[in-house]
Amino acid sequence: MSVVTTAAPRTICAPLPVLGRDVAVPLVTGGEVTYAALDYAASAPALQRVWDDVAAYAPYYGSVHRGAGYLSQLSTDLFENARRTVEEFLDCRPEDQLVFTRSTTDSLNLLAAALPADCQVFVFETEHHASLLPWKDARVTYLDAPRTPAQAVETLELALAARDPYGPALVCVTGASNVTGELWPVRELAAAAHAHGARIVLDAAQLAPHHPVSVQDLDVDWIAFSGHKLYAPFGSGVLAGRADWLQAADPYLAGGGASRKVTRREGGGVDVEWHDSAARHEAGSPNVIGAYSIASACKALTEAGFDTLVAREQYLIEKVRAGLAGIPAVKVLSLFGDDAPRVGVISFVVEGWNSSHFAAALSAEYGIGVRDGLFCAHPLVRTLLGTDPQTQGECGAPEAAPGEKSLNAIRVSFGAGTPDEHVDRFVTAVRELVTDGAKWNYRTENGRCVPTV
């Protein structure tokens, strides 16, 4: 691997203010240190802007689509304005429909429930479980992990060419891997899908926080993402795209808000007329704070400017990759190779270390929060590691099955709120742990590697 320069680009900017940036955590070796949150790929910290906006609205919180009172009307306007803001952020088509959900997982399960009868689904084994698992009621073709973007397109084209050409079909693909951070050729995959009469849904959970995402430019039929990865951790997500399959499907949840009219049926039972709008799949009291927080994050990222944000993140990526490249015991995981464009998500293993042990030492001795395990992408991580799953380690991996204690990796991830000091501390900590070993003893407790007390 060639060592890349870490010279800061001219467009370098300060990190966006986030909550928790001044939180101090204790070290097992004594004293405290400012916590380095480097697990953005799991849940990014809330932007200060998002928190301030939510706090300003909170006294005016009221029911949505339900009441005649001032607060209820204000909350309804806020909720629907949030929908329009997110539609603009995603550059949706005028006829598209945007449904607020709980998360990416919820969004893709909603789409899975709306698939037409006898739909064929094509999904790469490299997907996060949120986009790998929801299609249980469809005819699913799982595609092998590609080793180049071009191979991904070729693999999909061959699979689609062999499909039943007369039934509906859907391709599900990630925009950026939650394991390697590598960008996928979404536009080319969308073109392949459409050329063979299929539709495509983009899992943008790891892409939207890092890069601008345009439904129209990428030519995807749907897009799904989570607020908690977009600096808006209030339990909300988005599914946006074509309305026809959503309007034709039964409501994802049956209940108030999804129904336009309910009448008693002569002889017993009820007849229901469902909404054709997004409300069809938003039954119950909407998570107005979650929706508003996503809209606030969309505005903050747009105003900061993605060109500037991407340039700064690339600077941090190069810092981390150059630092890890200088440590011979470290192996960075990749599908597409060292030169593949990526977001701030990097997974690696350290020779001679169980990954859970290493992550525990980063936390306990350096105040650095990373992720270890299989990252809810088990088939992909197993492919990338290619190791003997029976090899034992001294500390257990929380997501591994019995007998797979060594089959896990370490993931560091960062974004718009990450200070330089956090990635500098991380690289220094990795080098010191590899060179000098841990300063503390560790044990496995409830499946996690923790410091011995």
Side-chain angles (χ1 to χ4, degrees), residues 206-220:
Q206 300 296 340
L207 183 63
H210 303 275
H211 282 265
V213 177
S214 167
V215 169
Q216 297 191 66
D217 182 53
L218 295 174
D219 197 22
V220 294

Side-chain angles (χ1 to χ4, degrees), residues 1 12 23 55 58 74 92 98 172 174 182 185 187 222 231 243-244 276 304 316 356 358 367 370 387 409 427 443:
M1 171 180 170
I12 200 69
V23 169
L74 186 149
C92 290
L98 188 145
C172 181
T174 188
E182 292 163 319
R187 189 179 293 103
W222 291 278
Y231 312 100
D244 54 349
D276 289 330
L316 295 180
S356 294
F358 201 90
V370 297
T387 56
V427 171
R443 71 183 191 282

Side-chain angles (χ1 to χ4, degrees), residues 86-105:
V86 181
E87 287 172 343
E88 291 174 4
F89 180 77
L90 296 176
D91 189 27
C92 290
R93 296 165 289 253
E95 69 276 12
D96 282 344
Q97 201 168 82
L98 188 145
V99 180
F100 283 115
T101 66
R102 294 178 296 176
S103 60
T104 308
T105 301

